[in-house]
Amino acid sequence: MSDLEIRESVVRGGIGQSPLRPDGVSKAEGSYLFSSDLSADNMLIGKTLRSPHQHARILSIDTSKALAMQGVHTVITADDVPGKPTYGLISSDQPVFAGEVVRYIGEPIAAVVADDEDICARAIAAIDVVYETLPALTDARFAADPESMEIHPDGNVIREQNVVCGDLSVVGDVIVEDRYTIGMQDQAFLGLEAALAIPDADGAGVECHVATQWLHEDLAQIAACLDLPETAIRMVLGGVGGAFGGREDISLQVHVCLLALATGRPVKMHYSRSESFLGHVHRHPAEIWMRHHATQDGRIVKIEAEFIFDGGAYASTSSAVLVNAVTHTQGPYKCDNAYVRGVAVRTNNLPCGAMRGFGVVQACFAHERQMDLLAQKCNLEPLEIRRRNAMATGDRLITGQTVESVAPVREIIAGLAAIPEPSETLHSNGHPYGLPGGAGNTTRSSDVVRGVGYGLAIKNLMYSEAFDDYSTARCRLDDGVITLKFATAEVGQGFITIAAQIARSTLGLEDVRLDPIDTGVGSAGSTSASRQTWMSGGAVEAACLKVRQLIFEHVAATTGGDAFALVIEGDTLVNTTNGQRWPMLQIVSGLVIDEEVEFRHRPTVPLDENGQGDCHTAFAFVGHRAVVDVDVELGLVRVVEIATVQDVGRALNPLSVTGQIEGGIAQGLGLALMEEIIQRDGRIMNPSFTDYLIPTIADMPPVVAQLIEIPDPQAPMGAKGVGEPPTISSTPAIISAIQNAMNRSGGADTHLTRVPIRPSDIAKAVNSNLRD
Amino acid sequence: MTYTSDEKHFELTVNGSKHQVKDSFLGASLLSVLRDHIGMTGSKGACEEGECGSCSVLLDGNLVCSCLVLAASVTQSSIVTIEGLGGATDVQQAFVECGAIQCGFCSPGLVMAATNLLDRNPDPDVDDVREALAGNLCRCTGYGRILDAVQVAVDGRKRNKL
Ligand code: FES
Ligand code: FES
């Protein structure tokens, strides 16, 4: 075939290519409207009053002074919620406004609406709330204790879930165990929470523009609280400045709609950075004990573990996060026998819920630290112990579920081993950024020790445990132009780019337009759980396939051929029986076809009390190698390079995949080295970007990424979700590399068990004279 | 209203045009005046304390965090915002083409910082770029594609000079 023929039948911007984001130019030029940029004529501003107490009874709320202020339109409290007083993703346990009791510092108590921000702030200060403080439950370890006071009518235990399988009497020749701590991480999306609610002229409904991950779930929760039919509320996606799980729960949605309906005017609410730390759920801090039993040659024979997840004051997605953690205890390794106990509890701390990696981040940190311990005990290289235990397609998990997904764990390990390590540069000669401590000029290069470490992970994709997980898409063909409609939240990940690519490849047409993202079509489910490429991508593909089938039937009817003989090659329709070819654009001229599809993944089942059942849909795998330079005297770390091999099924858009990998690794690096919300008695000590540090461009090392593209037969177009895996095992890889550097400099008897790591964790271990 | 005495009318020169600012609180930041009074929402606020760089603008040619500048103190200055770059500059194009933009909330600030760097130093090495952009947080990209975009813009300018 000549070049010309190949070029002729290619559709530009199809899958496997990297066409540009449709919103890229407007974002680069500043004209793209984020939800915080929205405004409307006659608009008022709303603001939230939050609890200063961790646990207290509300004796009275006096809003009269605030109401009397000029420019204040109204003040609402729990008494003004017409419908359900509570909301929540899995259980509806969180009050719209605290009525009788506040359960964490930052819990909403009232909201004011006024002419401007400044009046709002003064009105908030003028609301008089009388509290009777109550003792607070701050330590998750005591929350499940029957002796502890109950802080919520639903009890302190959100969920207990064990996973028990195989022969529990098995004892390994080699046993390693430790306790691990994972700090509370923040999603720290840059675009702060914001929404604009516009009431209908007749006051019977409202339109809400909001930055969210799941419009329809918001809609259902808002409608219940407002006591309105869902048809009375229209949800429109406001430009979303990142999400990472932090926008899965309701934050200001109900408040802003209530204020708009109460005043009959458009109302905007937006959080400041410090309020944002209070206004959304975080990654669960966790305490994990893990014990691995293995043979002399390093084969895992049994795992025992215990997980305690601090869910904070309200449930959010804690129960699902816990299930993810306990069911991923083994990591991407074979294991026949396990006894795992897990509990997620309520405390009077900040509520926790979804964040990229969703429970697996915590489990992976523990199992990967354990693998390093095991390697040390068995005298094996870190990659060798992982290779010996690597799971493969067809293996049974500790839940009894068989891994049907492509599971290229051995390929990942081989890939990591094959990527050349960066050279040991002379630290003293380079730019100060090359040194741990950076431009602070604190590090002597003689104190710098290089370390190399590894992390591997398995991550479930999509929702689990019998959740009715689906996505809806509509494809309209009109005279050669395709228009797609879906409610899939574009939060930056680039679904809008691949949706168009999928349509182009499926239909052989290049002109694809996207309708606004709103609730004018069925639910797409959440932009979370690495699920939108599979679910909404699957829905777009299925809708386009229906349209394609109708095109084939139309062509068959008009040309007298057989519809089954027709295929689309690039931008050309081909009759495979006689080789006849037509440009697609010519074939669809004048045709109008409109098809809508609800796409579901295969069913899953809930876990039984022993944690058995095919609870997950599919899995993706990943590995990371970190190279670090550590100033062992000061405990400072410079990550030199991250190499990664990731199982992606098929890269629908290679540039987007790279972006997900690099961005996910940055968040994994953040958890390893710097990111932690520090609470003291339930109060955040660092609710700002001055004190809650996220990686800058100076902290991020080069990323060497290699993709494993083995199309997964169960996945639409063979493509697995790629968003979460990069975040998961990058964290333990970095800690493992630091451990390696410490071991080389004489800190071998200290096993690193905590993230984020603190300089003192390193320096204390290495400088024995500092040991306390 | 109690703070009427603090209200001032003043004039700002933004992207070459004069803008009358009325009814602004005297303590208002340049960022909030740009966004809420002048209606230019291209500059973003993600921290309002000088940590994220989303609000970066040029003040008499110098890159500043507009959240840290008192609007009323810069009436004599020339202010250039993202809207004033004219659109489709080489830096903006490189950002779009290299995948440096995901959610895009950081992009206006990063584009301002990168543009400013290239104007000051047409041949920055990777450490110069890191240093110049270290005040701009991005939570989505991990910065790899951003470094790539700046390099593409640098190369493009060099080619144009030849
Ligand atoms: S908003 Fe100005 S630096 Fe963050
Ligand atoms: S692209 Fe989202 S913060 Fe940079």
Side-chain angles (χ1 to χ4, degrees), chain A residues 211-215 218 243-248 489 491 525-528 532:
Chain A
T212 179
Q213 291 175 233
W214 190 355
L215 288 165
D218 283 6
F244 318 116
R247 300 189 206 266
E248 197 156 61
V491 301
S526 177
T527 297
S528 64
Q532 290 296 21

Side-chain angles (χ1 to χ4, degrees), chain B residues 118 121-124 129 149-159:
Chain B
L118 265 56
N121 177 359
D123 193 14
V129 178
V150 175
Q151 195 54 51
V152 164
V154 169
D155 294 346
R157 285 195 189 188
K158 278 193 201 159
R159 258 197 318 276

Side-chain angles (χ1 to χ4, degrees), chain A residues 20-21 24-25 27-30 32-34 36-37 70 116 118 122 185-188 190-192 240-242 244 273 355 431 433 491-492 655 658-660 662-663 666-667 675 688-690 694-697 700, chain B residues 1-3 25 35 41-42 44-47 49 51-52 54 82-83 87-88 92 95-99 101-108 111 127 129-131 133-134 137-147:
Chain A
L20 305 183
R21 295 185 65 96
V25 170
K27 284 176 172 176
E29 296 183 349
Y32 181 86
L33 291 181
F34 290 92
S36 50
D37 299 327
Q70 204 186 344
D116 65 36
D118 301 313
R122 284 182 290 117
Q185 191 180 16
D186 187 53
Q187 296 84 355
L190 280 210
L192 292 159
V240 187
F244 318 116
R273 180 55 59 187
M355 182 175 171
H431 193 282
Y433 281 147
V491 301
L655 188 60
T658 304
Q660 287 297 309
E662 292 175 341
Q667 292 180 8
E675 291 187 35
S688 72
F689 278 169
T690 307
I694 66 174
T696 70
I697 199 167
M700 267 304 283
Chain B
M1 275 178 257
T2 53
Y3 61 93
F25 173 52
R35 289 177 55 83
T41 57
K44 307 299 173 193
C47 75
E49 57 184 25
E51 294 290 346
C52 73
S54 312
I82 186 76
E83 289 91 347
Q92 285 166 324
F95 267 63
V96 177
E97 282 164 16
C98 296
I101 296 173
Q102 288 186 28
C103 84
F105 202 85
C106 65
S107 307
V111 165
D127 286 322
V129 178
R130 282 181 199 276
E131 178 149 10
L133 303 187
L137 296 176
C138 171
R139 189 54 158 170
C140 301
T141 65
Y143 306 103
R145 299 310 96 203
I146 292 169
L147 281 172

Side-chain angles (χ1 to χ4, degrees), chain B residues 5 9 16 23 39 87 90 98 103 120 133 162:
Chain B
S5 60
H9 290 198
D23 307 329
D90 55 346
C98 296
C103 84
R120 286 185 287 119
L133 303 187
L162 291 180

